[in-house]
Amino acid sequence: TVYLFALESFGVLVLVKNGTPLDRNTLGALGSLNEKLADACRAERTEQRLREEQRRFETVFETVPEPLARVDTATDDLTLRDVNRAFAETFDCERTAVQGVPLADLLAPALTPWDPLETDLQGDEAVEHEVSYRTGDGRRQFIFRAAPVAPETGTEYVCLFTEVTAQRERQRTLERLYSFAEDLLDSPNKERVCEHTID
């Protein structure tokens, strides 16, 4: 006797029995067993998809060339869950040693009015600000970006530090040159132009 059970989203479950057919009570029980099997198959498929997404996330996390940190915002401070290689090199720390450490313990205070270490990261809002922090080789400027990765709990953020030190230095140099050029053009006589040019 052959019994066919529709295994929703997966196909058909085939049960073959030699001898006398199954009684109605057993068949009724097999129906609920079939539903549990389908649920287990769906759960396994979902778990497999989540594992693949987790692997992709970890690959991206590791290969991004800029400093990245996963932080927990459930406590009063931003506690590090994980950092990538670029973060460890930039902020001169051991990756395994910083897990569970407040982010503020690694970074000196920002030189800007806004500091993510003193501001609660809340809800599902992404944050972006320019900050300045101490690194392994001196103070540098960064664009700090934080985005929630667990919006349902609102307790985990990924923080990206994009360095802009060289750009800001070039910008300051250009501003100084522009100011100097204006002074040069506003000079009242040739002697003053010559003095400015020599300077």
Side-chain angles (χ1 to χ4, degrees):
T1 307
V2 177
Y3 302 92
L4 302 177
F5 297 91
L7 206 55
E8 192 180 334
S9 304
F10 295 95
V12 177
L13 177 65
V14 179
L15 181 62
V16 180
K17 182 178 185 311
N18 287 331
T20 57
L22 297 172
D23 60 64
R24 284 190 176 173
N25 290 338
T26 306
L27 283 174
L30 284 175
S32 62
L33 181 64
N34 180 56
E35 289 174 18
K36 288 180 182 175
L37 180 59
D39 288 343
C41 290
R42 279 191 287 275
E44 175 58 31
R45 180 184 279 174
T46 301
E47 193 175 319
Q48 185 177 9
R49 194 168 34 245
L50 288 172
R51 281 194 299 265
E52 288 170 5
E53 288 177 10
Q54 178 69 19
R55 278 195 295 273
R56 281 197 293 272
F57 176 78
E58 288 171 359
T59 301
V60 169
F61 190 81
E62 282 304 312
T63 56
V64 168
E66 280 128 355
L68 268 176
R70 286 175 49 217
V71 297
D72 186 351
T73 61
T75 57
D76 289 340
D77 50 14
L78 302 178
T79 305
L80 287 165
R81 285 190 175 178
D82 195 12
V83 299
N84 70 351
R85 192 176 307 115
F87 184 98
E89 290 169 0
T90 301
F91 295 103
D92 196 27
C93 61
E94 288 291 325
R95 293 180 65 179
T96 53
V98 298
Q99 291 176 359
V101 172
L103 184 58
D105 289 358
L106 291 177
L107 308 177
L111 295 179
T112 52
W114 184 90
D115 186 353
L117 304 181
E118 297 175 0
T119 304
D120 291 332
L121 298 176
Q122 297 176 2
D124 57 356
E125 295 295 315
V127 175
E128 179 176 323
H129 287 282
E130 188 166 334
V131 292
S132 175
Y133 288 123
R134 180 190 68 230
T135 65
D137 56 359
R139 189 164 282 282
R140 291 153 126 191
Q141 289 179 274
F142 299 93
I143 300 295
F144 172 88
R145 293 182 182 94
V149 291
E152 64 283 352
T153 61
T155 61
E156 185 177 341
Y157 277 73
V158 170
C159 302
L160 173 68
F161 298 81
T162 306
E163 186 173 357
V164 291
T165 308
Q167 294 169 341
R168 296 301 177 256
E169 187 55 44
R170 281 194 300 273
Q171 186 177 350
R172 284 190 291 272
T173 301
L174 285 173
E175 286 170 359
R176 285 194 303 267
L177 288 172
Y178 181 78
S179 174
F180 179 78
E182 279 189 326
D183 289 347
L184 189 63
L185 293 172
D186 290 342
S187 297
N189 53 47
K190 290 180 186 178
E191 289 78 15
R192 193 71 186 127
V193 170
C194 290
E195 286 173 14
H196 273 300
T197 305
I198 292 168
D199 287 343

